[in-house]
Amino acid sequence: MNAIWGQIAKRQRPSLRTIFDTDPGRLAYLTLSQGPLRFDWSKTHLTKEVIADFLALTDEAGFAAARDALFAGDPVNNTEGRAAEHSAERGEGNVESVARARMLHRRMRALIDAIEGEALGPVRHILHIGIGGSALGPKLIIDALSDDGARYEVAVVSNVDGTALEQAIARFDPHATLIAVASKTFTTTETMLNAASAINWMVEAGVEDPYGRVIALTAAPERAMEWGVDETRVLPFGETVGGRYSLWSSIGFPAALALGWDAFESLLEGAAAMDRHFRLARPSENAPLLAAFVDQYYVRAMGAQTRAVFAYDERLKLLPSYLQQLEMESNGKQVKRDGSPVDGPTAPVTWGGVGTDAQHAVFQLLHQGTVLVPVEFIASIEPGNLLDPAHHRALLVNCFAQGAALMRGKDNDVDPARAYPGDRPSTTILLDDVTPEALGALIAFYEHRTFANAVLMGINPFDQFGVELGKDIARSIDAEGTGAFDPSTRALIDLALPGG
Ligand code: F6P
């Protein structure tokens, strides 16, 4: 690692309690409000000096130019020779790409209007079939923002395990179901097999024109048409929108249909406001960049191998699994942009859950275990329910207490099993409420934080070649049966897949 990293590593690391005692003004520069979000990084070991080091590193890494290139629609995904234009989907970026995204959104809206007008017959259920980025985003938004009045019942089916599809269709009437096949490439085996089985389910139920009930959400419209979807029901999006960054495009179709177009538009607007913040705010006041400093500090200077995200809000319970793909598929890399080996660890393992449940399951390790885990708490000031306000109060009290306990710790010289070392870092993100606008801003914040981390490490966050080898081997097991594999794999195949 370079000289600045050497400097960061050499700096003294006073405990969090000492930092607060000696630097009472830290709340002022380590908290930040941006639209409906408020960030608090004060319970981390970042100090003015460490931030100054990171600002120097930011310059040295060419952050400003990299960010400009991202928003200009330059081919920042250098290994695939493509731009990464998710922000254009929300109106920020290359002018032509923004115009194209707007046109495709209008097309999506027109189809939604037609569906609402029953042009495709009665629709009560939406079976969204997709995997990875073609599932996790829509699933998160629908789960977070649906209230009891949702007009459609939506099931997102991703796993190739037939049990997933079987459970979803068991609840649905095939004559009142719309199938949304979501796949950027329209080749992903899991999705194509699930889509074929969903069509069979309709055929067996006597649905007259099953393909007429399919909407394709894809960057490969020709493949969708070849597969049998009429052009009028293909909702394309641009090749430059990466799978895990695609919920803003037509991949968000089931969310736009189920939540209503206004909500979808507010989600995009919330994200666009975060885009502008990320593009224009000074580095020392830039939320995604400051969050990346925290990530880099713990992973690269302190050797943390994981980070944990706990949503203290049931509406955001799917956020940790969404972030797992965003962060680990983007930044779980071993080479830099130029192909040379990375000069330090890259993405940590992202994991998490919901509070308060996690307190009664995994927090023991966070308080007394031997693993360094920077924790992120996310909560909403407004509750998502109409029950006695005591519920929401208890939720927030617990959230804030955990951060304080992790930091403060508690000595116990008499009984070490009851001692808490403390000095354990956490970040808190408070939303005004879980609205479409706030959720859009929150997700865009995580996208840009992932990008900022990648720039600081010199890696390309927009490819994912690591997933290909397993797919290749699965294909050859299918094609070659038991022949060409190691003894362990061959034995497993012989046992569970007789006949190869
Ligand atoms: O295999 C990984 C991956 O390519 C992800 O990056 C992507 O989100 C997912 O598969 C689904 O891909 P597609 O949208 O092309 O079906």
Side-chain angles (χ1 to χ4, degrees):
M1 288 208 203
N2 67 16
I4 301 175
W5 273 112
Q7 196 164 307
I8 293 173
K10 264 195 279 143
R11 283 205 185 281
Q12 282 200 329
R13 194 176 71 78
S15 73
L16 292 169
R17 274 193 288 178
T18 308
I19 295 181
F20 265 101
D21 288 344
T22 54
D23 182 14
R26 61 190 279 100
L27 266 192
Y29 66 89
L30 283 167
T31 59
L32 195 149
S33 288
Q34 172 53 36
L37 311 182
R38 182 186 151 89
F39 302 89
D40 182 347
W41 296 285
S42 63
K43 293 196 196 75
T44 71
H45 295 86
L46 289 198
T47 57
K48 276 214 165 86
E49 294 73 29
V50 173
I51 290 176
D53 292 338
F54 273 113
L55 291 172
L57 191 70
T58 302
D59 278 348
E60 192 182 86
F63 173 75
R67 182 183 50 185
D68 287 351
L70 175 75
F71 283 101
D74 292 349
V76 291
N77 177 356
N78 61 307
T79 50
E80 297 179 295
R82 286 209 278 265
E85 300 201 282
H86 38 288
S87 71
E89 296 293 317
R90 36 240 199 188
E92 296 294 320
N94 176 290
V95 178
E96 282 167 25
S97 307
V98 168
R100 177 153 193 271
R102 289 219 165 104
M103 183 268 288
L104 293 174
H105 277 148
R106 281 198 294 276
R107 184 182 161 92
M108 167 154 74
R109 187 177 185 175
L111 186 58
I112 287 176
D113 286 346
I115 292 165
E116 286 177 344
E118 302 217 340
L120 301 186
V123 176
R124 281 185 287 120
H125 306 133
I126 301 166
L127 182 60
H128 178 94
I129 296 175
I131 197 163
S134 293
L136 291 164
K139 208 168 157 177
L140 165 66
I141 320 168
I142 293 168
D143 196 61
L145 300 175
S146 291
D147 50 30
D148 296 340
R151 287 166 297 179
Y152 303 93
E153 198 185 342
V154 184
V156 176
V157 172
S158 48
N159 199 343
V160 75
D161 182 343
T163 309
L165 180 61
E166 198 174 63
Q167 284 173 351
I169 57 182
R171 297 187 276 128
F172 284 4
D173 172 359
H175 298 273
T177 298
L178 204 63
I179 302 174
V181 182
S183 175
K184 179 173 177 182
T185 54
F186 229 77
T187 58
T188 302
T189 39
E190 291 93 327
T191 300
M192 299 325 295
L193 185 52
N194 275 329
S197 295
I199 293 280
N200 283 343
W201 164 65
M202 284 193 168
V203 171
E204 280 165 18
V207 173
E208 213 170 281
D209 175 19
Y211 284 93
R213 313 278 297 170
V214 176
I215 314 289
L217 320 172
T218 184
E222 313 72 28
R223 279 196 208 120
M225 288 187 269
E226 266 166 40
W227 188 78
V229 188
D230 187 75
E231 191 181 357
T232 53
R233 278 172 286 96
V234 176
L235 294 177
F237 63 94
E239 185 61 38
T240 55
V241 178
R244 55 191 170 277
Y245 300 87
S246 64
L247 69 90
W248 324 98
S249 71
S250 62
I251 292 292
F253 165 82
L257 185 58
L259 305 170
W261 190 261
D262 288 350
F264 188 67
E265 224 161 41
S266 299
L267 183 91
L268 299 180
E269 278 162 17
M274 183 55 71
D275 290 332
R276 291 190 290 275
H277 166 76
F278 181 58
R279 190 158 58 82
L280 301 172
R282 295 211 317 244
S284 59
E285 292 166 4
N286 193 307
L289 185 61
L290 286 167
F293 291 172
V294 174
D295 296 336
Q296 291 292 300
Y297 182 79
Y298 288 113
V299 171
R300 291 207 148 190
M302 300 299 300
Q305 295 193 333
T306 105
R307 81 178 205 93
V309 180
F310 296 101
Y312 273 69
D313 198 297
E314 198 67 18
R315 291 168 290 181
L316 297 176
K317 64 179 177 296
L318 298 182
L319 185 66
S321 50
Y322 173 82
L323 292 179
Q324 286 185 318
Q325 186 197 17
L326 176 65
E327 298 180 358
M328 297 204 281
E329 196 169 65
S330 296
N331 287 345
K333 303 287 168 64
Q334 58 176 348
V335 294
K336 294 203 269 189
R337 293 177 67 80
D338 62 6
S340 62
V342 290
D343 45 18
T346 56
V349 175
T350 304
W351 63 283
V354 287
T356 60
D357 294 15
Q359 288 175 207
H360 301 275
V362 296
F363 272 44
Q364 163 65 37
L365 176 147
L366 299 180
H367 288 288
Q368 290 186 317
T370 52
V371 185
L372 169 62
V373 188
V375 175
E376 192 153 285
F377 297 105
I378 298 152
S380 163
I381 296 172
E382 290 298 322
N385 62 81
L386 299 172
L387 292 189
D388 185 338
H391 284 273
H392 198 60
R393 184 181 162 75
L395 185 68
L396 294 185
V397 162
N398 271 279
C399 176
F400 304 153
Q402 291 301 322
L406 285 167
M407 177 169 87
R408 188 191 301 174
K410 192 176 169 202
D411 297 336
N412 192 328
D413 297 337
V414 183
D415 186 355
R418 289 182 168 79
Y420 301 77
D423 198 31
R424 303 198 164 194
S426 68
T427 292
T428 305
I429 303 176
L430 268 185
L431 282 65
D432 288 345
D433 197 358
V434 182
T435 59
E437 188 200 356
L439 187 58
L442 183 69
I443 298 172
F445 157 77
Y446 280 114
E447 288 179 346
H448 292 317
R449 169 187 184 161
T450 302
F451 174 75
N453 269 298
V455 174
L456 294 174
M457 295 185 289
I459 64 177
N460 173 10
F462 298 118
D463 62 16
Q464 60 284 322
F465 295 114
V467 302
E468 296 305 329
L469 180 59
K471 290 183 193 174
D472 284 350
I473 294 183
R475 273 190 289 269
S476 50
I477 290 178
D478 247 354
E480 295 163 30
T482 58
F485 306 101
D486 61 86
S488 161
T489 307
R490 200 161 51 232
L492 291 167
I493 295 169
D494 286 346
L495 193 64
L497 300 172

